[in-house]
Amino acid sequence: EMCIRDSGKPGQAYQPTSFAVNLHANAAAIGMNDGTLYTIRSRGNGFEGEVKDSQVIMDAKAPINSCFFSTLDNQLHVFLTTRNGTYCYQNMQAKKPLVQVAAVHIDVNSAGSLFLATDPTTIVQCNQVGKVNSWTIEGEKLLMRCFKKDYIIVTYIQKTESGVQTAFSVFDLVNTYLAISGGFTSILNVVPAGDSFFLISMNQRGEKQLLKFDERDNNYKLETFFKKTSYDVALRFAKNQGYEPALLAEISRMHGDHLYSKGDFAGAIKNYKLTVPHIEPSYVIRKFLDVSQMEFLIEYLEHIHDSKIAEKPHTALLLNCYVKQKAITKLEKFLDKSSVDSELFDTETAITVCRELTYKDLALKLAKTCKNNDQVLKIYIEDKKEFRPAIDFIKNDVELSAKSEYVKQFGQTLIKYEPERTLELIQKLVSISIMKKPTQRSYAPDQPRVLSAEDRDLLGYLNVKDVELDQLADIIFPKPDEFLPIFMNSNDYLERFLTFLKNLKNLPNDKVIFHRMFEFYLQQYHKAFVAKQATLMYQKTADPEMAKYEKLIIDVLREPMYDERYDKNHCLILFKMYNFQPGITFLCEKMQMREELLSYYIEINDHVKVLDLCRRYGETENNLWIQALKYFCKPENKDKNKIPDVLEYISKIEALSPLVILNILSRNQNIPYGLIKTYFLKKLQEERTFIEKDGEKAKENMEKAKASRAEYKKLKTQAKVFQTNRCAECDFQLTLPSIHFMCGHSFHENCLISEGREKECSKCKFDNNEILDRKKQFEAEADNSRMFFEKLSTAKNKFDLVAEYLGRGLFNHRKEENP
C-alpha cells in the first residue's frame, strides 16, 4: 500500500503481480501489472527501521511476471521478467537486458546460472550470451526455486481423481531425473537452505505445515535407480560423481542385460560397448551368436578392435561375420586399417579366414602387405592354382636366405605343374650355394666387386640384392640332397637334376647324392626289367631302356674321378637289392671280393660264371674251388656233370687235400662214382709216386745216417792214424812241427792260418761255418712264430712245411725252455 500510495495511482486499478525480498530482508521489490517495479531499501535488517530510499521504475507496458534479488560483488541486483524479455537492474539502478526470453518465474542457482520458466512446460537455463539448455517439465508452474547447484524445485497444479491439488517436484537437471515429488492441498512457499529445503503447505482445514527435505547419499540413489531399472540415469549419475570406470562398466552391463531380456538388442549392444575393456568380451559375444543378431555382434566386435583389446578368435569371428553378411566394403576397410596398425589384429588369422571363405584376392593383398611369404605362396598354389606367379614370387620377392626353404616346402606341387621353371630355380639355388663366397673385406670398399658373367646372371636370376650379396658367406643353404624329395613323382626331372649334380664339383654331400643317383638308375632298370620280363628271353637284342641305365651306372663306376664320391660297399648292397648283375660283377672285381662274387654267382645258379671265376683266380685263392665244389655237390643241384671239371682243376692244386674233397663229396650220396673216379685214381697214383720217392730218399738218408754213426763210433773208440805226408795247404812234405785234424787234413804249423785261438781246418771251415750259420738261423726262426705262420698261410703243402720245421728241430728249443 505504501508503494501504491507513493506512486499516486489508484490502488484498485493497479494490482501487484510479483514480490521479492532479498536474503537479509532489507530490500523488497514489487512488480505491478502495468510493468511498474517498486523497490524499497531500509538501513537495517527488516523494514521496521527507517527506509533508506525507495524508487519507482517504469518499464515496458507488459506486466512483470516475476522478480528476484541477487547479491554479486557486494552489490544488490534485481532481476525481473516480462512477456518481452528478462532484465537486470544492476545495483537496483542501471537496467541491462539479459535475454530476449519472456518468463513466468526466474531464479539464480549457486553457480550463478539464470533459470527461467518460459511457459507452463519449459524451463530454460541462460547466461549473458543466451540460452544454454532447456528442459520440459509438465504442469503449470506456480513457483520455481533453484536448490544447490544442480537441482530445481517447481510447484504446479495437478489434477487427480479426487480433484485438484498443488504438487511439487525436485529435478536433477544435470543427471536429468526426478529426485522426489509429492502433492498437497496447497503449497504456500518453498525455501532452499544449504543442503536442505523447506516446504510450507496448508491443508483443507487451513492448517499450515513446515516440512524439511534432506538429500540422500549417493549409494542410496544408485540402489534406487537399480530397483527402478533406471540404468541410464544411474550411469549418468555415476559419471558425474566421478566413479571408477569399472563401476560404470558394471552399470552398463546391467543395463545391457536388462535391454537384452526385453529384446532391445540395439540398445543392449550400445550399453555393452560401454563395458569395454572391463567386462570379458566373451560374455557379450555368447549372447549374439545367432545369425539374426549378427549385425549387433559386428558392431560390438568392431568396437573391441577399435579399443585394441581384440584377440585372435575375435578377429576371426569378425571376419566371418563380415563375409556372411557380405559386408565386403567393411571387410576391406578393416583390412586396410590393419595394414597400418599391425597390432590391431592377428594377420595370420585374418588371411586364413579370408582363404577359407574364398576371398582369395583380398587374402593375397593382405599377405603381401604384411610380408607373410608363407601365406602368399599358399594362396597362389593352393587357392588360386597360379604356379608361375608363385615361382616368380620366390625368385624376386623372397629373401635369399628363405628361398630354398619355400622351394622345399612347395616344390612337389610346383614341379608337377611348372616342371621346367621349378627345375631351373632349384638348379640356380644349388649353384649359388656352392658359388665361391667372398670373404669379408676381400675387396677394397671403394672398388666394385669383380664377378664373372655366370655369377652375374645367377645373382640377377635370383634378384640378389647388394646387402644379401655381402652376407652371402653367412647364409646357411640347404644341402643339394635336401631337394631330392621334390622329385618324388617326377622321374624325368629327377634324372636331369641328378645329372646336373653329378657334373658339379665341391658339393657338400657327394655320397648321398651319388647313392641316390645309383638308386634311381637301379629303380628304372628294375622297372623296365619287371615290365618286360616275359619277353626278354625271346629278344635277340638287349632292351634299350635297360641298356641305357646299365650304361649310365657302369660309366660312373668306371670313371676314376667319381671313385671318392660314393661308397662302394653301399653301392654293392644297392646292386644286390635290385639284382643288378653288371654292377655287382664290376664292383666285386674292382674291390677284389672274389668270394663275394662267387657267392652271388652261386646264388643266381650261373654255372658258367662260377667256373670261369674259379679258373681265373682259383690258383691263388684255393677256397674258390672249395666253394664251387660244395655248390655243385648240393643235392638240389641237378647239373652234376660240372663236378669232373671242378675236380680236374682241383687236382692241379697241391694245397687241397683229397680228404677235404672226399668229405665234400660225401655229403651228396647221389653223385655217381664215375664222375669222381678219375680224380681219385689220379690222386692215388700221385700219392703212390710220392710215397715211393719218399721211401727211396728215406732209405738213402738212413744209409748215410748209419755210416755217420759208424764213423762217429770209430772216432770215439779207436785211434786215428794219420798217414798223410804232405801239407794240405802248400802240398810240400810234412815236417815238424805239424798239425793234424780229425777230418783227415794235415798242415805245417806255419801254413795254418786261424783267426781265433782255436785251430781249425782251413779246408773244411767254410762248410762247417755254413752248417753252424744254418743252425743259428733255424734257432732264430724258432723264436719268430710270425714268420712261421706267414709261410704256413702261403705254402701250397702245409704238411711239408710243418715236417720241415720238425726235422730241423726248431720246436725242440721251445721244449727246453718249457720243460
Side-chain angles (χ1 to χ4, degrees):
E1 293 178 356
M2 177 185 68
C3 294
I4 296 173
R5 188 170 57 250
D6 290 344
S7 67
K9 297 179 180 180
Q12 64 276 14
Y14 299 94
Q15 299 293 328
T17 57
S18 60
F19 174 77
V21 179
N22 73 336
L23 183 62
H24 300 292
N26 58 4
I30 303 172
M32 307 300 289
N33 60 354
D34 64 347
T36 304
L37 179 69
Y38 295 92
T39 61
I40 305 171
R41 283 201 215 182
S42 66
R43 294 186 181 278
N45 291 333
F47 294 100
E48 296 180 356
E50 180 182 359
V51 177
K52 179 180 179 181
D53 58 32
S54 63
Q55 58 180 336
V56 178
I57 301 173
M58 298 300 294
D59 194 74
K61 296 180 180 181
I64 297 176
N65 296 328
S66 179
C67 57
F68 177 82
F69 281 104
S70 177
T71 302
L72 297 172
D73 300 330
N74 295 323
Q75 292 184 351
L76 188 63
H77 310 287
V78 62
F79 294 83
L80 60 92
T81 180
T82 70
R83 65 173 178 265
N84 298 324
T86 301
Y87 309 93
C88 174
Y89 285 87
Q90 296 179 352
N91 202 18
M92 299 181 65
Q93 293 180 357
K95 177 184 178 183
K96 180 180 180 182
L98 293 180
V99 290
Q100 297 295 323
V101 177
V104 179
H105 302 284
I106 185 171
D107 200 358
V108 178
N109 69 357
S110 60
S113 296
L114 182 65
F115 288 84
L116 306 171
T118 58
D119 58 50
T121 60
T122 305
I123 293 178
V124 178
Q125 180 184 4
C126 302
N127 56 18
Q128 294 180 353
V129 178
K131 180 178 177 181
V132 176
N133 208 343
S134 65
W135 298 267
T136 298
I137 301 176
E138 297 295 334
E140 183 180 354
K141 311 302 180 291
L142 301 177
L143 181 68
M144 183 183 71
R145 292 286 185 268
C146 290
F147 175 54
K148 299 179 76 172
K149 180 181 177 182
D150 303 328
Y151 296 97
I152 190 164
I153 308 170
V154 296
T155 62
Y156 51 92
I157 301 298
Q158 185 181 47
K159 294 181 180 181
T160 63
E161 295 178 358
S162 59
V164 178
Q165 66 176 4
T166 304
F168 83 97
S169 297
V170 179
F171 293 95
D172 187 336
L173 300 178
V174 173
N175 299 308
T176 62
Y177 71 92
L178 176 63
I180 190 173
S181 64
F184 298 90
T185 302
S186 177
I187 297 176
L188 301 179
N189 200 0
V190 177
V191 181
D195 292 335
S196 305
F197 71 87
F198 296 90
L199 185 145
I200 303 172
S201 65
M202 184 174 65
N203 57 23
Q204 293 178 350
R205 296 189 297 273
E207 297 173 348
K208 297 180 180 179
Q209 228 177 357
L210 178 65
L211 302 175
K212 179 183 179 184
F213 293 87
D214 295 321
E215 185 178 7
R216 292 277 192 175
D217 60 78
N218 292 340
N219 290 337
Y220 179 84
K221 293 178 182 179
L222 286 175
E223 290 178 3
T224 304
F225 296 148
F226 295 154
K227 289 178 182 179
K228 295 182 178 181
T229 65
S230 299
Y231 298 105
D232 53 344
V233 178
L235 181 62
R236 287 195 300 272
F237 178 80
K239 282 183 179 178
N240 293 328
Q241 295 300 320
Y243 280 94
E244 294 181 355
L247 178 60
L248 301 180
E250 183 62 22
I251 295 172
S252 298
R253 183 196 66 78
M254 295 170 65
H255 193 190
D257 291 346
H258 174 69
L259 295 175
Y260 184 87
S261 64
K262 294 170 63 177
D264 184 3
F265 302 123
I269 208 69
K270 180 179 179 181
N271 282 276
Y272 285 137
K273 287 164 61 176
L274 299 176
T275 65
V276 177
H278 303 284
I279 301 298
E280 178 62 34
S282 59
Y283 175 84
V284 180
I285 293 172
R286 284 196 299 266
K287 295 178 176 290
F288 294 92
L289 292 177
D290 191 85
V291 176
S292 61
Q293 302 170 5
M294 191 172 295
E295 58 179 309
F296 306 112
L297 179 59
I298 289 175
E299 183 179 351
Y300 179 76
L301 291 172
E302 287 177 340
H303 181 71
I304 64 174
H305 278 85
D306 292 339
S307 302
K308 297 185 178 181
I309 66 166
E311 298 178 358
K312 295 180 181 180
H314 302 148
T315 302
L317 182 59
L318 178 58
L319 292 173
N320 272 307
C321 292
Y322 279 149
V323 176
K324 290 182 179 179
Q325 290 288 87
K326 297 183 179 180
I328 304 304
T329 304
K330 284 187 176 182
L331 180 61
E332 291 181 345
K333 287 181 179 179
F334 181 81
L335 296 179
D336 288 341
K337 184 178 180 181
S338 71
S339 65
V340 177
D341 185 5
S342 60
E343 296 181 356
L344 182 61
F345 72 101
D346 178 64
T347 55
E348 186 76 21
T349 303
I351 296 170
T352 302
V353 171
C354 290
R355 290 181 59 206
E356 290 175 353
L357 299 171
T358 67
Y359 286 89
K360 304 171 186 176
D361 294 334
L362 191 58
L364 182 62
K365 176 183 176 182
L366 179 60
K368 285 186 175 181
T369 304
C370 301
K371 296 183 179 180
N372 192 330
N373 298 334
D374 186 71
Q375 288 288 3
V376 170
L377 291 171
K378 285 182 178 178
I379 294 168
Y380 272 134
I381 296 171
E382 299 174 4
D383 300 339
K384 297 173 72 69
K385 307 298 181 183
E386 297 178 358
F387 306 103
R388 183 168 297 186
I391 295 174
D392 293 338
F393 180 80
I394 295 175
K395 285 170 47 180
N396 302 320
D397 299 320
V398 177
E399 295 180 355
L400 179 60
S401 58
K403 291 181 190 291
S404 298
E405 294 302 322
Y406 287 120
V407 170
K408 288 164 56 180
Q409 183 178 354
F410 301 101
Q412 287 192 16
T413 305
L414 294 175
I415 199 70
K416 181 178 180 181
Y417 296 100
E418 286 289 339
E420 292 293 339
R421 286 174 171 265
T422 305
L423 177 62
E424 182 183 17
L425 177 59
I426 295 173
Q427 290 176 346
K428 297 294 184 182
L429 289 172
V430 172
S431 298
I432 200 171
S433 68
I434 62 173
M435 188 176 76
K436 184 178 181 180
K437 312 293 192 304
T439 57
Q440 189 174 12
R441 291 288 150 227
S442 60
Y443 57 93
D446 56 345
Q447 294 180 356
R449 192 193 312 271
V450 178
L451 295 171
S452 65
E454 184 179 355
D455 288 345
R456 285 196 299 271
D457 292 341
L458 178 60
L459 297 175
Y461 176 87
L462 295 172
N463 194 25
V464 178
K465 301 177 178 60
D466 293 338
V467 176
E468 294 177 317
L469 185 58
D470 294 334
Q471 300 173 353
L472 192 60
D474 300 325
I475 296 176
I476 300 176
F477 291 96
K479 296 177 181 178
D481 60 278
E482 295 182 28
F483 293 106
L484 294 177
I486 294 174
F487 303 92
M488 183 180 300
N489 300 316
S490 304
N491 290 335
D492 293 340
Y493 291 94
L494 174 59
E495 183 175 353
R496 290 172 57 182
F497 182 60
L498 290 171
T499 304
F500 167 78
L501 295 178
K502 182 181 70 174
N503 296 326
L504 293 179
K505 296 181 180 179
N506 303 320
L507 290 177
N509 204 359
D510 261 347
K511 290 187 177 180
V512 174
I513 294 169
F514 270 74
H515 294 165
R516 182 65 184 94
M517 179 181 66
F518 280 125
E519 186 174 6
F520 171 75
Y521 289 159
L522 290 169
Q523 288 172 348
Q524 302 308 306
Y525 178 89
H526 184 71
K527 182 179 178 181
F529 174 78
V530 171
K532 302 175 182 180
Q533 186 175 9
T535 59
L536 283 176
M537 62 181 66
Y538 303 108
Q539 292 184 5
K540 296 182 179 180
T541 58
D543 180 73
E545 189 77 7
M546 295 176 61
K548 169 189 172 183
Y549 289 106
E550 178 180 342
K551 183 177 185 304
L552 288 172
I553 295 173
I554 299 302
D555 287 348
V556 174
L557 295 176
R558 286 176 177 170
E559 184 59 52
M561 63 181 294
Y562 297 140
D563 283 351
E564 300 300 324
R565 301 180 71 176
Y566 60 89
D567 184 275
K568 296 179 180 60
N569 289 312
H570 182 89
C571 292
L572 183 59
I573 293 173
L574 287 177
F575 294 157
K576 288 184 177 181
M577 288 174 57
Y578 289 94
N579 195 25
F580 182 63
Q581 182 176 343
I584 297 173
T585 303
F586 186 90
L587 275 184
C588 287
E589 294 277 5
K590 190 172 185 178
M591 299 168 66
Q592 297 183 356
M593 299 173 63
R594 279 77 186 241
E595 290 190 17
E596 185 78 16
L597 182 58
L598 179 63
S599 298
Y600 172 72
Y601 288 152
I602 291 174
E603 182 180 350
I604 63 174
N605 295 319
D606 194 335
H607 303 166
V608 176
K609 290 187 177 180
V610 168
L611 291 176
D612 179 65
L613 181 65
C614 292
R615 290 189 189 103
R616 285 187 288 140
Y617 303 106
E619 187 175 353
T620 56
E621 297 185 26
N622 299 333
N623 195 48
L624 295 178
W625 286 111
I626 300 296
Q627 297 298 326
L629 183 61
K630 288 179 179 180
Y631 165 65
F632 287 113
C633 290
K634 287 181 178 180
E636 60 269 19
N637 195 332
K638 304 301 180 182
D639 192 3
K640 303 292 191 301
N641 296 326
K642 300 293 183 182
I643 295 177
D645 296 336
V646 176
L647 293 176
E648 182 182 355
Y649 283 99
I650 290 177
S651 64
K652 299 176 182 178
I653 302 173
E654 297 179 0
L656 293 178
S657 171
L659 294 176
V660 175
I661 305 304
L662 181 61
N663 185 35
I664 296 172
L665 294 172
S666 64
R667 297 175 185 176
N668 188 353
Q669 299 179 359
N670 296 324
I671 298 176
Y673 176 71
L675 296 178
I676 62 176
K677 176 182 177 181
T678 304
Y679 169 77
F680 282 105
L681 289 176
K682 182 178 179 181
K683 280 296 179 180
L684 289 173
Q685 183 64 37
E686 290 177 356
E687 290 295 329
R688 180 179 295 174
T689 303
F690 290 149
I691 291 172
E692 291 177 355
K693 289 182 179 179
D694 291 342
E696 293 176 357
K697 189 173 182 180
K699 184 178 180 180
E700 180 182 354
N701 290 335
M702 290 180 67
E703 290 177 354
K704 288 182 179 179
K706 184 178 180 181
S708 297
R709 282 195 294 272
E711 183 178 0
Y712 174 75
K713 183 178 180 181
K714 183 178 179 180
L715 290 174
K716 290 285 286 183
T717 59
Q718 298 178 11
K720 175 76 173 174
V721 178
F722 297 98
Q723 296 178 353
T724 305
N725 56 6
R726 288 188 176 275
C727 178
E729 182 66 29
C730 62
D731 198 28
F732 288 106
Q733 188 70 33
L734 280 176
T735 59
L736 297 176
S738 61
I739 298 175
H740 304 276
F741 290 96
M742 299 299 291
C743 60
H745 295 112
S746 300
F747 299 90
H748 292 113
E749 185 177 12
N750 57 354
C751 290
L752 185 63
I753 300 173
S754 178
E755 295 178 358
R757 293 181 181 180
E758 186 177 353
K759 303 294 183 179
E760 59 181 347
C761 176
S762 58
K763 298 296 183 180
C764 298
K765 78 174 179 178
F766 295 106
D767 294 335
N768 294 335
N769 288 340
E770 182 180 356
I771 294 172
L772 293 175
D773 290 341
R774 287 178 62 188
K775 181 180 179 182
K776 291 179 181 178
Q777 180 183 354
F778 292 156
E779 291 176 352
E781 289 180 356
D783 294 331
N784 191 351
S785 58
R786 180 178 178 182
M787 182 181 297
F788 168 73
F789 286 111
E790 287 180 354
K791 288 184 177 181
L792 186 65
S793 62
T794 57
K796 293 183 178 180
N797 194 330
K798 295 178 175 54
F799 180 81
D800 290 347
L801 179 68
V802 174
E804 180 182 355
Y805 268 72
L806 286 172
R808 294 174 181 174
L810 298 182
F811 297 112
N812 295 334
H813 178 67
R814 293 286 181 183
K815 292 180 180 179
E816 292 174 1
E817 291 180 355
N818 301 295

